[in-house]
Amino acid sequence: QVQLVESGGGLVQAGGSLRLSCAASGRTFTSHTMGWFRQAPGKEREFVAAIRMNDGITTYADSVKGRFTISRDDAKNTVYLQMNSLKPEDSAVYYCALRRFGDSRYNYWGQGTQVTVSS
């Protein structure tokens, strides 16, 4: 099993920054993908960003390109989401997830961390 624990959420003013962390423990994989998703009240969960752990290739949702950066620290088994120039519409519960190599769906999910951006 894999455990994913997010941290770093909070309340920030529009234009501010936050850095989310996702620490992975338990079973390890070598070629998986780590992703960040978010879900606002009354809305469906949406993809934010992902990073392939074997080569560092990243992808982003159009809504966060140029403002958010996903990165990893292999030694700490941790993935980060640096969020800059935050907007009120970025407010949501942010989830970390892991997708095993070759799978089409994310297999493991964290419990989520709340991000609230005030205007």
Side-chain angles (χ1 to χ4, degrees):
Q1 268 290 11
V2 173
Q3 292 79 42
L4 303 175
V5 179
E6 303 98 331
S7 61
L11 173 64
V12 64
Q13 289 188 333
S17 299
L18 281 175
R19 188 178 79 157
L20 305 183
S21 299
C22 174
S25 61
R27 183 178 176 183
T28 59
F29 303 91
T30 57
S31 300
H32 54 289
T33 296
M34 297 294 296
W36 285 98
F37 292 76
R38 66 187 182 187
Q39 187 168 21
K43 295 187 177 181
E44 292 188 355
R45 185 171 58 195
E46 64 175 358
F47 169 78
V48 175
I51 185 166
R52 291 196 323 206
M53 302 304 282
N54 59 338
D55 57 14
I57 297 295
T58 58
T59 56
Y60 296 92
D62 288 343
S63 59
V64 306
K65 280 182 181 177
R67 300 189 298 122
F68 291 12
T69 303
I70 188 170
S71 62
R72 72 192 199 274
D73 184 331
D74 294 338
K76 296 182 178 180
N77 288 327
T78 299
V79 173
Y80 303 98
L81 185 68
Q82 178 66 43
M83 306 186 294
N84 298 328
S85 302
L86 282 162
K87 306 174 182 179
E89 51 264 43
D90 293 318
S91 296
V93 177
Y94 282 71
Y95 297 92
C96 172
L98 182 150
R99 187 180 75 223
R100 294 176 304 210
F101 178 77
D103 286 351
S104 59
R105 295 183 176 184
Y106 282 80
N107 313 96
Y108 302 96
W109 293 84
Q111 82 289 349
T113 185
Q114 177 71 48
V115 172
T116 303
V117 184
S118 63
S119 57

